[in-house]
Amino acid sequence: MNIAIDAGNSRIKWGVHDGSRWLDSGVLATADVEWLSEAADEWPAAARVAICNVAGHEVAASIAALLAGRYAQVSFLHASTEACGIRNAYEHPWQLGADRWAALIGARALLGSTCLVVCAGTATTIDRLDASGLFRGGLILPGYDLMRAALASNTAQLPFAEGVFRSEPRNTRDAIVSGCLQAQLGAVERMFAAIATEPDACCLLTGGGAAPLAAHLRIPFQLTDNLILSGLVRYAESL
């Protein structure tokens, strides 16, 4: 039995996995990390716990404290030179975000072909994983909502737009929405162009901000729930 916890910048997601399927899952705001203890009261006591955290030291300490004494095996995932069939080509492997590393592990467990791993959240990350299991590198850019928020907070006359995606926007709200989405889509599609001729090349798309991208991507992709959590389960099983 495995428990996976993904502590992100905005949300904490968790899931209980029995080795073949998800038995339970949940999500809460990262600012409400203390409420995770209520979920933990219902988790199986003999489970292994694997955590990835990109929300800072205080959140990590809070999670560690509320799990202390409850579980014999609690592991925080950190990027390394190699794990679960993946080799890390980052210049300084340990600087890779734990969430990106977990997503890559999850992708490798799901596919044996070259793929682009796209996690759309507060930030959007776009990572290339070769069929051999080599992580070649990737991009980090502000997420779709963060792009819109940056325009709203750093300009005098532009709102946080709730417009419609159009190829030729003719009002300001649609122009903002379309511009921010085009930036996301363009980054993904440009990265995919480098692997498009690889056998069975695919984009794995996950995260809370994945849906707007999925509606407009022009490349082969799979919308994949819980990719980071699945990577954490795979990591826990490898220990």
Side-chain angles (χ1 to χ4, degrees), residues 3 12 108 129 189:
I3 297 165
I12 297 174
R108 187 60 177 172
L129 183 62
E189 291 172 356

Side-chain angles (χ1 to χ4, degrees), residues 148-167:
R148 291 189 294 159
L151 286 172
S153 62
N154 291 284
T155 60
Q157 300 184 32
L158 296 181
F160 185 85
E162 297 289 355
V164 177
F165 180 84
R166 302 184 187 279
S167 58

Side-chain angles (χ1 to χ4, degrees), residues 193-239:
I195 66 170
T197 59
E198 297 286 333
D200 300 318
C202 182
C203 171
L204 292 179
L205 179 60
T206 194
L213 277 67
H216 302 287
L217 275 176
R218 298 176 179 174
I219 58 174
F221 73 92
Q222 294 181 29
L223 192 57
T224 308
D225 291 334
N226 298 326
L227 187 62
I228 292 175
L229 295 182
S230 295
L232 287 169
V233 168
R234 174 70 183 90
Y235 167 70
E237 292 174 342
S238 72
L239 296 177

Side-chain angles (χ1 to χ4, degrees), residues 62 97 99 107 114 119 121 125 128 136 159-160 178-179 189 209-211 215 217 221:
S62 294
D99 54 345
T114 297
C119 298
T125 59
R128 176 176 171 177
R136 297 280 297 273
F160 185 85
S178 302
E189 291 172 356
L217 275 176
F221 73 92

Side-chain angles (χ1 to χ4, degrees), residues 78-156:
H78 301 284
S80 57
T81 57
E82 187 171 355
C84 301
I86 301 175
R87 290 166 289 124
N88 189 347
Y90 232 42
E91 290 180 1
H92 303 291
W94 57 90
Q95 291 182 351
L96 180 68
D99 54 345
R100 294 169 69 190
W101 192 232
L104 288 162
I105 291 172
R108 187 60 177 172
L110 190 62
L111 294 177
S113 57
T114 297
C115 63
L116 207 62
V117 182
V118 179
C119 298
T122 304
T124 297
T125 59
I126 308 168
D127 292 322
R128 176 176 171 177
L129 183 62
D130 282 358
S132 68
L134 177 65
F135 164 55
R136 297 280 297 273
L139 307 180
I140 303 173
L141 61 154
Y144 168 60
D145 286 342
L146 189 57
M147 284 186 172
R148 291 189 294 159
L151 286 172
S153 62
N154 291 284
T155 60

